Amino acid sequence: MKRKAPLILVIGILIFFSACKDSMKVWIEPSTERVMQFSASKKTYLAEICAAHNDYESFQIVINGGANGLSNVNVTAGDLAGPGGAVIPSANITLYREFYVHAAKPSFLYGVVGDLRLPGNYPDPLIPFTDPYDPAHPAVGAPFKVDKFKNQPVWVEVYIPEGIPAGLYSGKFTVTADNVKPAEIDVKATVWNFSIPEQRTISTAFGLYYSTEEKFHAAATLSETLYNYELELHRHRLDVTRITSFATNPFKFGGDGHLLAVDWSEYDSIMESRLNGSYYGDGTGMYKFNAGFFRPGSSGALETKITDDQYKEAAAEFARHLKEKGWMNRVYVYCQDEPFWNNVPYEDLAHDIKLMLEADPDWKGAFMVTNWWVKELDGLIDIWCPEVTKYEGWLTAGILNFAGREEYDAMRLRGDQLWFYVCNATIPPYAGYDIDTMVGFEPRIMMWGAWYEKATGFLYWSTTAWKEVNPWEDPLAYPEFSRNGDGFLFYPGDHNGTAAPVGSPEEVSMNGPVTSIRLKQTRDGLEDWEMFKIAAGIAGENAVKEAVSKAYTKLGTAPVLGIWNPLSPPWTRNGKVIDEVRKEVAALITE
């Protein structure tokens, strides 16, 4: 005869299975980690970040769908309470649903052992829970569903305001879904006793293709849409490369061949508000800006359609006006892009630069070229901006000797500057903007490397070069270059433009861009760069370099027979090292 189980035991079993059925699998990942749809779960329920005032820092809440999937999922952020009743309000916390894009074809040269690129679904677009461009802030990215057994990360961005005391702040976030018990996440934020400067001290030149947005956004609101794209770049500490794209060429010549009086009103209306920050609503202006109109070495109108004397007259008038406005020390002149790869003779650049210097010697210091140092332009170019693989010869194991640390140090002594840029040529193990990388912080470590190599600026060719593809469905915008994500850091926020209904997912309809994880990492890196500069001014550059060298030694290295040693990488693959170095550098400032 079978014995009946004791009533208490039966009740206990029912309670156990009920709890299992009603619980969610939720955990925390730092912002430096790449969370894939089937990444293994972790038992980390405490989110910890460290940041300065006027600093953004993020973490991820990962929600797994379990055996049944989840519906109507949402996350609620609470205030973070700190010393003496101070608060980081929940209004300073922005939540995004991470979206997975499918890389059907891996980025070119993916077979480098130690840094593979593989087909698959990768998180990159960040759909905001609410629309940041609509004053009513309607829901966009949440609530959402989570499919069976799949992970759904939520990107949590915390902004540390000025004016609150340094110290530890803590609070709780709540994750809810239908038919399951809510899950609570503990959050701790350590606020350091210094500020990231609102006015940037790093030159940035990030392209914005003004012609691609109309494919996905309605014509009736396109002007406002373009403003929101530029504003979002500004919010991420980035300046647009070609502000004057729509400006009319102001230089007209009379029958005698001489320059007529120039009407600067259109140019000034474009530049003035951007340089004083009123255009962006925060009083923070662009740090450096591309002069526009002049592009030495190019086949544009000014360079090839007017005489040398007329070119000089225009350059002299332009310099006069910039000095009158007090802008001359903030300007750079973007010479012909990539002259080597575009088969532009260096002597053409030299010819045009010399004309501008003859017109006004105060143009000296402004000429920037996206090229490694070459002797043909030595003494003429002021800002060298090589692609990272064309620096120091690390990629070629010294077979091709590009100028590097020693050479650029010597040029710095005479006033030259070094910037960097990345593009489709940035192959592993160089950090880049590939979507299909398993390292969660490549754009951030690039900014660390730029600081370490004593650069003063960073350039990225475009944030919206979607070409013929819909980046939500195909991140390989330029198959001939074969790098997933190359040429864009934004995703179109709508699908009602000329290519309608192609564009954003059906539930996403915003009059502005959807940002990306790679864009957030870029801002994180720029904020770190500013912190390194502050620390170097207090503790000395060598002390900061000693700390940073625990995460970074050089921009990249040469694979040998398709292999590089993952046990000795040129920069760390471990996000925990990033956090530890940041804390060490912050201590140089605060202790």
Side-chain angles (χ1 to χ4, degrees):
M1 181 177 178
K2 292 184 179 179
R3 293 179 180 270
K4 292 184 178 180
L7 181 60
I8 294 176
L9 177 60
V10 172
I11 293 173
I13 291 172
L14 289 174
I15 291 174
F16 173 78
F17 280 105
S18 175
C20 289
K21 180 180 178 181
D22 291 342
S23 63
M24 280 187 288
K25 187 180 293 184
V26 177
W27 71 96
I28 296 298
E29 294 280 7
S31 64
T32 51
E33 288 300 309
R34 175 72 87 193
V35 180
M36 303 298 282
Q37 287 180 306
F38 296 101
S39 294
S41 64
K42 297 179 182 177
K43 295 181 178 180
T44 51
Y45 311 113
L46 170 65
E48 295 183 277
I49 60 172
C50 298
H53 294 98
N54 192 38
D55 194 2
Y56 290 85
E57 196 61 31
S58 303
F59 62 91
Q60 300 171 88
I61 300 173
V62 188
I63 304 153
N64 185 271
N68 300 306
L70 295 170
S71 60
N72 201 31
V73 183
N74 213 333
V75 179
T76 303
D79 294 343
L80 304 181
V87 170
I88 299 173
S90 59
N92 284 30
I93 300 169
T94 307
L95 305 175
Y96 302 88
R97 171 165 56 93
E98 297 182 27
F99 185 93
Y100 287 86
V101 294
H102 182 64
K105 180 181 178 181
S107 294
F108 178 62
L109 287 180
Y110 58 90
V112 179
V113 176
D115 200 348
L116 294 178
R117 299 289 188 267
L118 299 172
N121 296 326
Y122 292 85
D124 191 49
L126 295 176
I127 303 173
F129 275 27
T130 61
D131 187 343
Y133 313 113
D134 185 332
H137 301 302
V140 180
F144 52 87
K145 69 174 184 177
V146 184
D147 292 336
K148 294 179 182 180
F149 302 114
K150 287 185 178 180
N151 297 326
Q152 177 55 65
V154 171
W155 188 275
V156 181
E157 179 181 81
V158 182
Y159 171 70
I160 309 300
E162 297 280 13
I164 63 172
L168 181 63
Y169 291 73
S170 60
K172 291 183 180 294
F173 286 21
T174 305
V175 183
T176 58
D178 287 345
N179 303 317
V180 293
K181 293 179 179 179
E184 283 195 336
I185 296 294
D186 290 314
V187 180
K188 295 186 184 296
T190 298
V191 177
W192 293 321
N193 193 26
F194 64 93
S195 296
I196 300 301
E198 184 66 35
Q199 182 57 62
R200 303 85 197 271
T201 68
I202 300 160
S203 299
T204 52
F206 276 58
L208 192 60
Y209 276 30
Y210 292 102
S211 60
T212 51
E213 288 84 350
E214 64 184 14
K215 293 169 55 180
F216 306 105
H217 293 275
T221 56
L222 194 57
S223 177
E224 182 182 345
T225 302
L226 293 175
Y227 172 79
N228 287 334
Y229 272 80
E230 186 179 333
L231 179 62
E232 205 61 62
L233 274 182
H234 177 79
R235 287 172 176 165
H236 288 79
R237 304 185 72 90
L238 299 170
D239 291 331
V240 180
T241 307
R242 292 189 175 90
I243 288 296
T244 56
S245 297
F246 295 128
T248 306
N249 178 359
F251 305 110
K252 310 298 180 185
F253 297 88
D256 61 358
H258 290 292
L259 183 68
L260 298 175
V262 176
D263 180 0
W264 288 107
S265 57
E266 182 188 42
Y267 184 80
D268 290 352
S269 70
I270 292 172
M271 296 308 308
E272 187 110 43
S273 60
R274 287 175 169 89
L275 290 173
N276 65 29
S278 60
Y279 186 79
Y280 306 111
D282 60 4
T284 302
M286 298 177 69
Y287 177 55
K288 300 286 186 180
F289 70 99
N290 182 14
F293 307 128
F294 286 83
R295 203 163 185 194
S298 77
S299 56
L302 285 179
E303 280 71 30
T304 59
K305 304 300 184 184
I306 61 177
T307 68
D308 286 357
D309 286 340
Q310 289 173 331
Y311 194 75
K312 288 165 64 174
E313 281 191 52
E317 168 58 18
F318 199 4
R320 182 204 64 77
H321 184 71
L322 291 172
K323 286 186 277 191
E324 179 182 73
K325 301 294 292 186
W327 300 341
M328 195 69 181
N329 64 338
R330 298 170 68 179
V331 74
Y332 64 90
V333 177
Y334 195 138
C335 298
Q336 166 61 43
D337 189 51
E338 296 187 333
F340 178 85
W341 301 114
N342 287 311
N343 298 313
V344 175
Y346 291 137
E347 54 264 31
D348 288 359
L349 273 80
H351 174 81
D352 295 339
I353 291 171
K354 288 175 182 177
L355 290 178
M356 292 185 72
L357 290 171
E358 289 173 15
D360 193 319
D362 288 340
W363 281 114
K364 182 62 182 171
F367 298 106
M368 186 275 289
V369 67
T370 47
N371 208 90
W372 56 91
W373 175 88
V374 291
K375 64 181 180 180
E376 293 90 338
L377 297 174
D378 188 46
L380 293 173
I381 293 298
D382 307 296
I383 305 169
W384 297 95
C385 186
E387 195 270 331
V388 293
T389 63
K390 310 302 186 297
Y391 176 82
E392 194 65 75
W394 289 324
L395 180 65
T396 62
I399 296 173
L400 295 177
N401 291 310
F402 296 100
R405 289 169 176 169
E406 184 176 342
E407 291 85 356
Y408 284 109
D409 275 345
M411 284 181 261
R412 245 179 237 106
L413 292 176
R414 70 184 188 204
D416 288 3
Q417 296 181 58
L418 171 67
W419 294 5
F420 285 112
Y421 79 98
V422 298
C423 66
N424 55 80
T426 310
I427 58 176
Y430 281 76
Y433 277 97
D434 291 356
I435 289 174
D436 52 334
T437 173
M438 291 305 297
V439 180
F441 52 87
E442 286 198 15
R444 188 173 198 164
I445 200 69
M446 275 195 296
M447 303 304 149
W448 287 37
W451 172 82
Y452 195 96
E453 304 302 332
K454 302 179 184 178
T456 58
F458 202 92
L459 180 147
Y460 189 62
W461 68 282
S462 178
T463 56
T464 56
W466 300 311
K467 204 177 179 182
E468 300 301 322
V469 305
N470 176 9
W472 290 93
E473 298 176 354
D474 183 0
L476 200 60
Y478 287 80
E480 65 271 30
F481 299 153
S482 301
R483 305 222 69 78
N484 285 291
D486 185 53
F488 66 90
L489 299 177
F490 283 135
Y491 292 78
D494 216 333
H495 45 266
N496 60 354
T498 58
V502 174
S504 61
E506 183 178 359
E507 73 275 15
V508 179
S509 180
M510 304 188 304
N511 194 23
V514 169
T515 61
S516 65
I517 292 175
R518 294 172 300 145
L519 186 65
K520 300 298 182 186
Q521 292 170 353
T522 301
R523 180 172 62 188
D524 286 342
L526 289 167
E527 290 169 336
D528 295 338
W529 190 339
E530 296 279 10
M531 178 174 69
F532 297 161
K533 294 178 69 174
I534 294 169
I538 294 171
E541 185 178 279
N542 288 339
V544 183
K545 276 196 165 185
E546 183 178 353
V548 174
S549 64
K550 297 174 183 177
Y552 170 89
T553 60
K554 55 187 179 181
L555 294 169
T557 190
V560 179
L561 300 179
I563 300 173
W564 66 274
N565 183 3
L567 298 178
S568 181
W571 42 270
T572 185
R573 324 287 288 179
N574 188 344
K576 292 180 180 178
V577 177
I578 298 292
D579 292 336
E580 291 306 313
V581 171
R582 289 181 69 247
K583 293 175 184 177
E584 188 174 339
V585 174
L588 295 175
I589 300 171
T590 59
E591 292 181 359

